[in-house]
Amino acid sequence: MDYCKYHPLVPATYSCKSCQVSQCDHCIDESGHHGVERCFVCGTEVEHLGSVNCIEPFWRRLQESFRYPMNRSTLMLIVIISFLSTIVSSLPFLISLFLLMALTGVMVKYSFCCLQQTARGLLIAPDISDGFGGGVRLILLLMVVLIAMSLSVYAVGTHLGGGFAGLLSIIYIVGLPAVLINFALTEELSDALNPLSMFRLIAAIGLPYGLLLVFIMIMAASVGVISELIGNDYSIISSTLQSIVFYYYLVVTFHIMGYIIFQSQGDLGFVAREDYGDENQVRPSEEILLAKSSVLVKEGDYDEVIALYKKALVEFPNSKVFNERFFEFLYATKNVELLNKFSQKYFRFLIKSRREDLLYRSYRRVLRLIKDYMPDTAELRFSLANCCHQAGDPLSAVKLINGLHRSHPGYSGLAEAYDLMAKSLDDMPNMEDKAEKCRKLVSHFNSKLSEKKTPVADTKVQKKTTLFSLEE
């Protein structure tokens, strides 16, 4: 079994011949024209592996198999056919025979459709309309198959003796499911009766075929037991219930035979995917970009990853995932230059998104790589300082605000910022004097704002307040 290179525990569903790697559904680009899947790394078209690496054995999904006919239309078909079969059985012989063949033909045709579609990967019951048309012909063909098998046994017994006839009978009994499967897949009577085709199919399926035979015997025995429990009083209710049980098990059995073909697709030389009736939709471009970034990171193509994230953030500027992943990528790769530029955008994104829980932690991580990190806007410095103060880190809050009046003299929130600095200094030992100076500055800024400062006054305030700094 092949596994995805980028998800080692996930079975592979695609293969890139150019890169010589296997990928899962998540690690290919399906956004190309005409539904062509391509490799994220080299861009070439990938080869479809179907579900050969990830098919669950039929004996592990028996519960799903028994639920297969459990939908309104299929159950309605089973009940109606069973009821009508019970009613027409009381009619005159020839009329009853013809009508019973027609009704049984509907269920047999529907069961064959279940086998055919399941073999192609469609794991939901087909529409009931597929059971109408050609049912009587199918019954007659199956009768021809059984008659031909019986005649061959008789001929062998006549010419070679009873031992060989008994051996051939056992072979036919064992090979009957293979004959039915071949007939359903090819719809050719000659191919279904060909012993070589039967043995070839059994050999390709292998052990699951033996388990299928055991399961069919258990199913047949359980039908008999249930029929005994229902009773054999030949009333309409009893006969209808027995028919319902029989047809229900018939659909389940043919579904399982189809699933065994689907399960053995690798040995039988075809490719199919599991299908539950949902439309195959292309993932949103955001998900495809995320998947591509993950693949490129694992390939170590960091330059391409950076270009992809920049493109994604232009297209999805408010994406939580892209913002967080790009920050984590820059931090993990210690890209100090880009981290210094992007972190400020990321911090503003966190503030806008009200993710203060991530803001302080992300700021501290930046400081580990950039010791003298300082945002370039007064608003961001104040927001980070407030976050540090609330997180119980007064020293970081003081460092962020210290000198703010010099670098951003026109900032309207200076009073509020230095009030926060004073509170942070109160939480630090031996900083009472500096906290008092901060409060004087706060009073000064407030008074100047109330007096509607002139540009000249601003210059004087700036000269006066530059006398204070954390190092004093």
Side-chain angles (χ1 to χ4, degrees), residues 197-469:
S197 298
M198 179 182 70
F199 288 124
R200 190 182 303 118
L201 181 66
I202 294 174
I205 295 175
L207 177 62
Y209 188 85
L211 297 176
L212 173 65
L213 291 176
V214 174
F215 179 75
I216 290 176
M217 289 188 287
I218 294 173
M219 293 264 283
S222 63
V223 170
V225 171
I226 294 173
S227 298
E228 288 294 328
L229 293 175
I230 292 173
N232 294 313
D233 55 3
Y234 301 104
S235 64
I236 293 179
I237 295 177
S238 175
S239 298
T240 301
L241 288 176
Q242 291 185 48
S243 295
I244 290 173
V245 171
F246 174 76
Y247 288 137
Y248 171 80
Y249 275 90
L250 183 69
V251 172
V252 172
T253 301
F254 273 72
H255 167 64
I256 291 176
M257 287 194 294
Y259 188 84
I260 286 179
I261 297 301
F262 176 65
Q263 177 184 331
S264 305
Q265 59 181 267
D267 297 319
L268 294 172
F270 71 96
V271 171
R273 290 291 302 271
E274 291 185 6
D275 183 3
Y276 291 92
D278 301 326
E279 294 185 1
N280 294 324
Q281 297 181 347
V282 177
R283 288 176 292 177
S285 57
E286 184 175 7
E287 291 186 20
I288 292 177
L289 286 172
L290 285 171
K292 184 175 182 179
S293 68
S294 178
V295 168
L296 293 176
V297 166
K298 293 170 183 176
E299 287 288 342
D301 192 352
Y302 293 164
D303 291 337
E304 187 64 27
V305 173
I306 291 171
L308 186 146
Y309 274 125
K310 288 181 176 179
K311 173 188 173 183
L313 287 170
V314 171
E315 189 174 351
F316 306 101
N318 297 318
S319 169
K320 171 180 176 290
V321 178
F322 279 126
N323 276 281
E324 290 185 0
R325 285 200 180 183
F326 192 32
F327 177 82
E328 293 291 338
F329 171 77
L330 294 176
Y331 178 78
T333 56
K334 295 181 171 56
N335 193 326
V336 174
E337 182 180 355
L338 278 179
L339 182 64
N340 188 37
K341 294 178 181 178
F342 177 70
S343 60
Q344 301 190 62
K345 295 180 181 179
Y346 179 58
F347 291 155
R348 281 192 282 271
F349 169 78
L350 292 178
I351 293 169
K352 181 181 178 182
S353 306
R354 303 193 179 201
R355 293 299 308 272
E356 289 80 4
D357 56 321
L358 287 177
L359 184 60
Y360 175 71
R361 186 172 62 192
S362 301
Y363 169 66
R364 295 299 304 174
R365 296 176 76 185
V366 172
L367 287 179
R368 293 192 192 107
L369 297 181
I370 311 173
K371 302 298 182 183
D372 57 347
Y373 175 78
M374 186 62 66
D376 57 6
T377 65
E379 291 82 359
L380 185 54
R381 286 173 64 174
F382 176 57
S383 296
L384 284 172
N386 192 40
C387 184
C388 292
H389 178 75
Q390 293 179 3
D393 185 2
L395 179 59
S396 295
V398 170
K399 287 181 177 180
L400 284 163
I401 297 174
N402 186 41
L404 188 64
H405 59 292
R406 293 194 298 272
S407 56
H408 301 280
Y411 178 48
S412 61
L414 285 175
E416 189 177 1
Y418 278 91
D419 181 61
L420 175 63
M421 183 175 176
K423 293 177 180 177
S424 298
L425 288 168
D426 288 337
D427 294 335
M428 298 170 62
N430 305 319
M431 289 291 178
E432 294 81 2
D433 293 341
K434 295 189 185 306
E436 186 59 30
K437 288 182 180 181
C438 280
R439 289 189 173 88
K440 288 180 181 179
L441 281 177
V442 171
S443 299
H444 185 73
F445 289 138
N446 285 331
S447 65
K448 289 301 178 181
L449 285 174
S450 62
E451 294 172 3
K452 297 181 179 179
K453 300 178 294 179
T454 63
V456 175
D458 280 347
T459 303
K460 291 180 180 178
V461 170
Q462 184 179 351
K463 288 181 179 179
K464 180 179 179 180
T465 53
T466 54
L467 297 175
F468 171 80
S469 70

